[in-house]
Amino acid sequence: MKKVLCLIYPNFSPYEITALTSTLALSFDVTIDYVASDHSIVVSEDGLPCQPTKTLDQIRIEEYSCVILPGMVNIGPALQDEKLISFLRDLGGQDVLIAAISSAPLLLAKAGLLKDTKFTGGIWQNFFDYFEFLPRENFQPKVLVQDKQIITAIGFAHQEFARKVILGLGLAENTDNYFKEQNEYSEEDLIFTLSDEEFDQVKRSIENIL
């Protein structure tokens, strides 16, 4: 399949997207480009310095099947990044899945992508009166919402978000093999065994390092 584009910006939240990005990369061999407005180091909300692999002006959107937007603890810098907002605005009408979690739907709203789209997110209700671009009438108080090509989710629902995106990309018909979240677990759920072939691969990878 095509590549996946993950936008990063100051204060972005890694944990909200890593269930998705690691599964895409490790289970489906999907190439992920981590893209920012420029080549500067981007520092996440927990202080992790990240080097973008590409900049927005290097992107040809037809090479991508999905654009992922993590939430952020401080929304100011990303909301004020006109290069980022312009890039998002240009996604309107493109054949690409857009997946935004936590506070990231605010960026979609500022770009005008939620005018006719139902959405959710980790958005303070106060923001609906504060930001004129944020359409209160389209907000859904749900954990996860998909409307057309846009998937949005509350930040704590990062595994549900990952499941929905993987299904939306047509990579799997069932995602239970990749995500095991439950309230309770049996002993059998916590015992893992590789096939002989899989274990041989693991041993070879270890031997190549030692």
Side-chain angles (χ1 to χ4, degrees), residues 61-99:
I61 198 61
E62 60 269 21
E63 296 179 358
Y64 299 88
S65 58
C66 179
V67 177
I68 300 169
L69 292 88
M72 65 229 93
V73 66
N74 178 354
I75 62 175
L79 274 179
Q80 295 167 14
D81 185 342
E82 286 303 323
K83 191 173 183 180
L84 171 62
I85 300 303
S86 177
F87 174 82
L88 293 174
R89 189 177 295 120
D90 290 342
L91 294 181
Q94 297 284 346
D95 183 22
V96 62
L97 187 67
I98 301 171

